[in-house]
């Protein structure tokens, strides 16, 4: 798209500009009188907790910063500095289209736009990120979007009607933010270390930080297997998927209580896929909420407001094709359906001389990437938070991209793989 896109979810802010994709979780570290943001700051959170802030996006305001953190007077100063850091790393785009969560109230949105007026770029659009994500799906009636922020989970209620999806309300789910979920996962992992090795990685800040740094890899492994290995300070422990499933119990219960009825459609941010057992505890139709840049690019003409004051867009046309209620009347005739080309579905991943079968629970591709099979049988690429670079047929791959037999993949480790179909027929 012509303008850069900023996704404002403090668990992992993302900025797309051309072929660049930056990820920067909402951590600020005071170091030598200056601030560092994102992954570098997160890596110091257990080592130097008094010099790290994680609340400035969540509590965006001009109230005095408590506790104080260097020269910043309030959280707005930290947001301003974080935006400048992202802008510089992205190659200094001139225009940004902002996708913000429904939890940001009018005063915070106004303050955010005021902060951007002091930045070397212009905000040319502002949209509810839940609405933009939901516009990619064919749905009819009420639907919900679950996102996990650093200090809370957010359940946004939407309504799809007459080809338009509209934001209704947002409900904060306390004690279910990423930081709280991490604490529960770390507690379970530390218990496994103590039980198996008598070593407690939480006893020292250095080893506790190692444990936190290792969590994303462990959770990605547990998407493909019931057990994962974890090494901290030379000690080794085996973590079972069941050991960590209790960490998402509170979140699942809060979501189920808020939904209050069965059979609803629930969009899940990619981060929720890393929580063992969460999807199994949720009822209704579960959809993968991803590919925000595609949604914003498709709606760019509606969202960009260069010549007028920005408004927070809470309603968009659906891009997800026909609605469920229209499916019967719009169904093609058998002859027409037979004439439509069906992409061949791969059964194996060929790496060198070894063909690895694609199993129903998916296949890991390394460094945060995996292959997942949808209800329609099609295979899609899935990128976890912080995933590396993967190419499909010579082009950078994107999360949720559909693949077919014959596609060539360049895996994050630099090796090549080919998706193939192995037939059992003579």
């Amino acid at each position: 798209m012509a303008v850069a896109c900023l996704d404002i979810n403090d668990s992992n802010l993302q900025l797309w500009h051309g072929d660049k994709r930056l990820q920067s979780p909402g951590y600020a570290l005071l170091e030598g009188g200056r601030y560092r943001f994102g992954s570098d700051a997160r890596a110091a959170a257990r080592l130097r907790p008094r010099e790290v802030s994680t609340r400035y996006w969540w509590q965006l305001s001009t109230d005095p910063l408590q506790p104080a953190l260097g020269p910043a007077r309030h959280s707005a100063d930290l947001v301003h500095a974080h935006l400048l850091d992202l802008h510089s790393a992205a190659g200094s785009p001139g225009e940004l289209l902002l996708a913000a969560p429904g939890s940001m109230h009018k005063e915070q949105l106004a303050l955010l736009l005021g902060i951007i007026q002091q930045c070397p770029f212009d905000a040319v659009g502002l949209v509810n990120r839940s609405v933009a994500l939901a516009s990619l799906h064919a749905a009819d009636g009420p639907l919900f979007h679950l996102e996990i922020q650093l200090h809370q989970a957010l359940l946004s209620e939407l309504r799809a009607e007459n080809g338009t999806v509209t934001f209704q309300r947002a409900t904060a789910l306390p004690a279910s933010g990423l930081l709280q979920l991490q604490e529960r996962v770390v507690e379970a992992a530390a218990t496994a270390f103590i039980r198996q090795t008598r070593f407690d990685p939480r006893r020292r800040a250095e080893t506790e930080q190692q444990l936190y740094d290792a969590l994303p890899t462990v959770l990605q492994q547990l998407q493909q297997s019931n057990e994962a290995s974890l090494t901290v300070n030379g000690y080794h422990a085996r973590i079972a998927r069941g050991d960590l499933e209790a960490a998402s119990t509170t979140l699942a219960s809060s979501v189920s209580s808020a939904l209050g009825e069965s059979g609803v459609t629930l969009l899940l941010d990619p981060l929720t896929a890393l929580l063992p057992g969460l999807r199994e505890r949720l009822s209704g139709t579960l959809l993968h909420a991803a590919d925000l840049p595609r949604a914003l690019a498709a709606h760019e003409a509606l969202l960009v407001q260069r010549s007028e004051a920005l408004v927070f867009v809470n309603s968009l046309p659906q891009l997800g094709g026909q609605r469920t209620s229209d499916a019967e009347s719009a169904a093609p005739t058998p002859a027409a359906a037979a004439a439509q080309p069906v992409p061949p579905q791969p059964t194996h991943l060929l790496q060198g001389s070894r063909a690895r079968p694609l199993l129903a629970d998916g296949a890991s591709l390394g460094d945060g990437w995996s292959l997942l099979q949808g209800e329609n049988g099609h295979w899609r690429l899935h990128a976890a938070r912080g995933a590396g670079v993967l190419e499909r047929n010579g082009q950078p791959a994107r999360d949720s991209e559909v693949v077919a037999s014959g596609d060539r993949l360049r895996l994050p480790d630099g090796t090549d793989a080919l998706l193939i179909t192995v037939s059992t027929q003579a």
Side-chain angles (χ1 to χ4, degrees):
M1 59 192 306
V3 300
C5 162
L6 177 63
D7 182 16
I8 303 174
N9 179 331
D10 62 358
S11 64
N12 188 32
L13 279 83
Q14 298 185 82
L15 193 152
W16 293 269
H17 180 216
D19 59 354
K20 291 185 178 180
R21 177 197 179 195
L22 301 180
Q23 302 185 74
S24 184
Y27 288 70
L29 167 68
L30 179 65
E31 188 173 65
R34 303 182 65 181
Y35 296 108
R36 298 175 67 184
F37 297 94
S39 299
D40 290 343
R42 182 176 59 192
R46 316 309 297 185
L47 301 172
R48 298 150 64 184
R50 295 179 182 274
E51 298 167 21
V52 172
S53 175
T54 61
R55 297 174 175 265
Y56 55 101
W57 281 101
W58 179 44
Q59 298 178 339
L60 175 58
S61 73
T62 55
D63 295 335
L65 199 62
Q66 296 293 339
L69 187 73
R73 299 160 297 170
H74 35 61
S75 59
D77 283 342
L78 291 178
V79 167
H80 177 259
H82 197 170
L83 287 171
L84 293 179
D85 182 76
L86 274 167
H87 177 254
S88 175
S92 303
E95 297 180 328
L96 256 64
L97 176 55
L98 311 175
S103 56
M104 294 190 73
H105 51 72
K106 292 181 179 179
E107 291 77 10
Q108 288 181 317
L109 292 172
L111 178 56
L112 175 62
L113 295 178
I115 292 170
I116 291 176
Q117 288 181 350
Q118 308 304 315
C119 294
F121 57 86
D122 296 323
V124 295
L126 180 62
V127 63
N128 186 304
R129 69 185 302 270
S130 297
V131 170
L133 288 165
S135 72
L136 292 173
H137 299 274
D140 206 19
L143 64 153
F144 297 81
H145 172 226
L146 176 64
E147 63 183 278
I148 299 177
Q149 302 170 1
L150 280 180
H151 292 275
Q152 64 182 14
L154 187 72
L155 187 65
S156 294
E157 181 180 351
L158 314 163
R159 184 163 189 85
E161 193 171 36
N162 298 324
T164 299
V165 60
T166 303
F167 174 75
Q168 302 292 307
R169 64 185 62 83
T171 301
L173 306 178
S176 295
L178 181 60
L179 296 181
Q180 293 96 335
L181 293 169
Q182 281 186 157
E183 289 292 336
R184 296 174 194 140
V185 171
V186 164
E187 182 179 356
T191 299
F193 268 100
I194 295 170
R195 184 176 65 249
Q196 298 173 33
T197 69
R198 296 188 179 181
F199 166 68
D200 186 354
R202 296 171 298 179
R203 293 288 297 274
R204 294 172 47 221
E206 293 81 2
T207 55
E208 186 180 39
Q209 185 66 59
Q210 290 181 39
L211 181 56
Y212 274 85
D213 292 343
L215 284 184
T217 299
V218 170
L219 294 175
Q220 289 163 17
Q221 291 177 4
L222 290 176
Q223 290 185 71
Q224 311 298 331
S225 174
N226 289 325
E227 193 175 68
S229 60
L230 183 57
T231 301
V232 173
N233 201 38
Y235 292 88
H236 306 279
R238 303 293 297 179
I239 310 296
R241 181 181 175 87
D243 294 338
L244 306 184
E245 288 185 347
S248 60
T249 300
T250 299
L251 175 58
S253 298
S254 298
V255 172
S256 297
S257 298
L259 295 179
E261 59 180 288
S262 60
V264 300
T265 299
L266 179 61
L267 308 180
L268 299 175
D269 262 9
L271 183 58
T272 59
L274 289 178
L275 298 174
L278 177 62
R279 298 178 69 97
E280 292 80 359
R281 289 187 173 96
L282 299 175
S283 61
T285 302
L286 305 182
L287 300 176
H288 188 60
D291 210 359
L292 182 64
R294 181 166 73 89
L296 297 183
H299 293 300
E300 183 176 346
L302 290 174
L303 296 176
V304 171
Q305 307 166 46
R306 292 189 178 92
S307 60
E308 52 190 294
L310 293 187
V311 297
F312 191 32
V313 176
N314 276 312
S315 182
L316 285 173
Q318 289 176 278
L319 302 170
Q322 66 185 33
R323 299 187 301 278
T324 303
S325 59
D326 299 333
E328 184 175 351
S329 60
T333 65
Q340 293 176 353
V342 178
Q345 296 306 305
T347 62
H348 289 69
L349 184 70
L350 180 64
Q351 295 176 269
S353 60
R354 177 173 176 261
R356 179 156 55 105
L358 301 180
L359 305 178
D361 58 351
S364 174
L365 301 176
D367 201 11
W369 285 92
S370 58
L371 280 168
L372 299 177
Q373 190 173 33
E375 294 180 357
N376 58 4
H378 293 175
W379 288 90
R380 294 177 179 270
L381 293 168
H382 170 63
R385 182 170 59 90
V389 177
L390 183 143
E391 293 184 2
R392 171 176 173 254
N393 298 330
Q395 299 295 325
R398 297 191 300 178
D399 186 33
S400 294
E401 191 171 355
V402 176
V403 298
S405 186
D407 283 345
R408 295 185 178 274
L409 304 179
R410 172 63 61 88
L411 303 183
D413 63 1
T415 61
D416 292 321
L418 177 67
L419 288 167
I420 62 174
T421 301
V422 178
S423 175
T424 59
Q425 297 179 352

